[in-house]
Amino acid sequence: MTLTGELLLGAAGMPATAGTMKALNPATGELIEPEFAFGGAAEVDRAVRLADDALDSYSHTGPAERAAFLDLIADKLETVKDELAARTALETGLPAAQFEGEAVRTADVFRKFATVVRQGRFLQASIDTAQPDRRPAPRMDHRLLKVALGPVVIFGASNFPISYSVAGGDTASALAAGCPVVVKAHNAHPGASEIQGRVIQEAVAEAGLHEGVFSLVRGAGNEIGEALVDHPLVRAVTFTGSEGGGMALYHRAQRRPDPIPVFTEMTSVNPTFVLPAALATRGTEIGGALVQRAMYNVGQACLKPAILLAIDGPGFQELRDAAIAEVEKAAARTMLTPGIHDSYTRNVQRMQGEGATLIGAGPTPAHVGDGQSLLYEVTGEQLLAAPALREEVFGPAILLVRLTGPDQLLGTARAFRGQLSATVHAEAADRLAVEQLLPILERRTGRIVFNAFSIPQEVSYASTHGGPFPATSDSRFTSVGMGAIERFVRPVTYQNFPDELLPRPLREANPLHLWRLVDGELTRH
């Protein structure tokens, strides 16, 4: 595929109207051809109006047609996976093989959402039939269906340039719900974004859909993002990134004359609690394996297990030694962008300023943009006294917390803010402690992991990637997994309608053969 650097507004490629940029190879510091176009408010308006024009026809596509469209995107992603992986590796400094796998997994997400669409359960079709003879008052026929919210704006993320980007899970779930999409591509990987954008653009055309089903824009600074959130035709926004960035978008959306939801995935340290019996029997195994997981993607993953907590006792020294040994083996590698590396350096300095003691370090970085693997230690008292120690450090740093006993373990668990995940390592002898810990964690996270690790996460029907603030801005929803589609639909009840005017999922004969709730009974009739 020849990269043009254009914006993708519906079926058209648009040249720059607000300057250009080139991608940066963070491993070498070299700029990469070609130049990529920046747009402004006019391009945002064009993209969003196209999306709004597409809404009525696209949101009313049948399950088979929409599912076939999602499958087509999946097929096309797999066709370009080698090219996409090579370009993404250039723009991130990470191995191409990593992105080949990410492309294949992302294609699988589109296929899973195609299955969701065919099943139609997300529509939650419900029917309360008329009861004209009911006393003291008759009941009219009521039929409920979930419908698409409208045009959705998606902010591409920096840390997963495919699965959280242009063709990522947010795009897949919004398209599955029947919502046209406008993606703001992340400037850290513009070439990878264009390849993905072209794939979706081609699929829209081949499926015979309205061109406004998908657009891709790009801009410098905050102007284009603010224009997207402010546009009166936009009905929802998704964002993956920092707490500061996510909350700026959230507050802006709430100041609109008509506030809209902003579904953010922001910050998490994913605490790991090792209970005494597990520590005594598996301390070495847990310490080494946790560090291996934490260093995935140079520690630049939202599910990185960043804080490891255990009571000082049998097995603690073994856990500590194993973690140190694993960190010391973890070579420094290129971080995704110079900005992320600078932020990592500042956050490590912040930890040290709060009294964290460096107990293990990987090899000294050979290049300016490399992230050095680091292991720090604090006491439970220090963690409780300094909230800053419980904040995310995005990069290859881990904090080990030495606790004094069960009361302090529960106290530190209560001190954490909302998390994407929390992990418990326990044995049968730890049952009472687990029973005390679980209610605390349930209030603070969307996913609890038992005797495993927070990363990687399956993308499935039972996945949750969300949690109380500041992990997300709305803990009722997930951004990963098949449940992510629920962010982009809302209920409409059709009361006393003639059958021929009802949406097909609600018609008496059930022409789509969907599962429906009819007078309180689940049926396909």
Side-chain angles (χ1 to χ4, degrees):
M1 183 183 298
T2 301
L3 297 179
T4 67
E6 295 174 318
L7 308 175
L8 307 181
L9 305 186
M14 299 292 292
T17 62
T20 62
M21 65 162 287
K22 288 184 180 180
L24 173 72
N25 184 328
T28 64
E30 296 173 341
L31 296 176
I32 315 167
E33 297 291 342
E35 291 190 342
F36 290 89
F38 284 150
E43 287 67 44
V44 164
D45 184 65
R46 172 65 176 159
V48 175
R49 290 190 182 278
L50 279 171
D52 191 66
D53 289 345
L55 176 63
D56 288 343
S57 62
Y58 182 61
S59 65
H60 285 83
T61 51
E65 182 182 2
R66 198 183 306 167
F69 168 55
L70 297 173
D71 281 336
L72 181 58
I73 294 173
D75 292 343
K76 287 181 172 292
L77 279 172
E78 289 191 337
T79 298
V80 302
K81 67 178 177 63
D82 293 341
E83 178 185 1
L84 177 57
R87 179 71 195 199
T88 309
L90 273 179
E91 294 178 343
T92 62
L94 295 172
Q98 174 177 323
F99 296 113
E100 290 175 14
E102 191 174 328
V104 171
R105 290 191 299 272
T106 302
D108 184 59
V109 169
F110 275 88
R111 291 198 178 95
K112 285 179 177 176
F113 274 113
T115 299
V116 168
V117 170
R118 290 187 181 96
Q119 292 170 339
R121 291 193 308 147
F122 75 99
L123 297 171
Q124 294 185 25
S126 303
I127 299 172
D128 293 324
T129 56
Q131 295 179 356
D133 298 327
R134 191 184 68 173
R135 297 291 181 267
R139 182 178 79 183
M140 291 184 184
D141 186 271
H142 290 67
R143 303 189 178 218
L144 179 146
L145 189 72
K146 292 288 185 78
V147 303
L149 277 182
V152 173
V153 167
I154 293 169
F155 285 76
S158 64
N159 58 332
F160 288 94
I162 303 172
S163 58
Y164 277 83
S165 186
V166 175
D170 284 344
T171 298
S173 54
L175 291 175
C179 295
V181 165
V182 178
V183 175
K184 179 190 176 295
H186 199 287
N187 290 344
H189 37 79
S193 295
E194 183 178 338
I195 293 171
Q196 296 169 70
R198 294 285 184 187
V199 160
I200 301 175
Q201 187 186 53
E202 291 171 5
V204 169
E206 290 182 26
L209 301 172
H210 189 293
E211 64 170 322
V213 167
F214 174 81
S215 291
L216 180 148
V217 297
R218 188 185 301 105
N222 296 328
E223 177 187 355
I224 198 164
E226 292 171 352
L228 285 163
V229 175
D230 291 345
H231 200 289
L233 296 178
V234 169
R235 295 293 91 199
V237 174
T238 76
F239 172 85
T240 298
S242 69
E243 181 180 347
M247 292 312 297
L249 295 177
Y250 176 84
H251 289 308
R252 192 173 189 94
Q254 303 318 301
R255 291 195 297 268
R256 288 172 42 134
D258 57 336
I260 58 172
V262 177
F263 301 108
T264 64
E265 188 266 275
M266 297 181 290
T267 181
S268 183
V269 297
N270 309 296
T272 296
F273 297 87
V274 186
L275 300 187
L279 181 66
T281 58
R282 295 187 283 118
T284 298
E285 174 191 338
I286 294 169
L290 181 135
V291 172
Q292 292 173 8
R293 303 308 196 281
M295 296 308 163
Y296 173 76
N297 216 38
V298 202
Q300 299 164 115
C302 45
L303 289 173
K304 181 189 83 174
I307 300 184
L308 176 60
L309 304 98
I311 297 170
D312 192 359
F316 185 89
Q317 191 61 45
E318 288 80 359
L319 177 141
R320 185 179 188 270
D321 290 345
I324 292 171
E326 201 64 43
V327 165
E328 290 177 343
K329 292 191 299 184
R333 292 188 290 152
T334 304
M335 300 192 74
L336 288 164
T337 69
I340 289 174
H341 178 267
D342 290 346
S343 178
Y344 175 61
T345 301
R346 290 193 302 272
N347 283 326
V348 165
Q349 292 171 346
R350 167 177 58 79
M351 289 177 66
Q352 294 174 172
E354 294 289 346
T357 301
L358 181 66
I359 60 171
T364 301
H367 304 99
V368 173
D370 290 352
Q372 185 179 21
S373 304
L374 301 170
L375 177 64
Y376 288 89
E377 184 177 35
V378 296
T379 64
E381 289 85 353
Q382 287 176 292
L383 189 76
L384 290 168
L389 289 173
R390 304 191 296 271
E391 294 179 4
E392 182 179 29
V393 176
F394 195 67
I398 305 169
L399 184 64
L400 173 63
V401 184
R402 185 189 295 261
L403 304 171
T404 57
D407 289 344
Q408 194 173 77
L409 184 145
L410 297 177
T412 54
R414 292 188 184 97
F416 284 104
R417 299 195 295 169
Q419 303 293 321
L420 294 171
S421 72
T423 295
V424 179
H425 286 272
E427 297 293 324
D430 294 312
R431 178 170 178 174
L432 178 60
V434 173
E435 291 175 346
Q436 293 175 321
L437 183 58
L438 283 181
I440 299 171
L441 299 183
E442 287 169 354
R443 295 172 63 175
R444 287 163 176 80
T445 185
R447 184 165 63 104
I448 305 173
V449 182
F450 191 78
N451 282 347
F453 296 93
S454 57
I455 189 170
Q457 179 185 18
E458 288 292 328
V459 180
S460 68
Y461 287 91
S463 297
T464 299
H465 191 69
F469 179 84
T472 70
S473 55
D474 195 330
S475 62
R476 297 171 297 173
F477 299 97
T478 177
S479 62
V480 173
M482 305 306 99
I485 196 172
E486 295 172 8
R487 297 173 294 173
F488 306 119
V489 291
R490 62 179 180 85
V492 172
T493 293
Y494 300 83
Q495 182 176 333
N496 204 37
F497 263 63
D499 191 66
E500 65 272 15
L501 292 180
L502 284 167
R504 284 185 295 165
L506 296 179
R507 291 180 186 173
E508 193 66 24
N510 193 10
L512 301 179
H513 306 290
L514 302 178
W515 284 102
R516 308 188 301 184
L517 194 67
V518 180
D519 292 330
E521 297 292 330
L522 193 62
T523 177
R524 294 184 73 174
H525 298 300

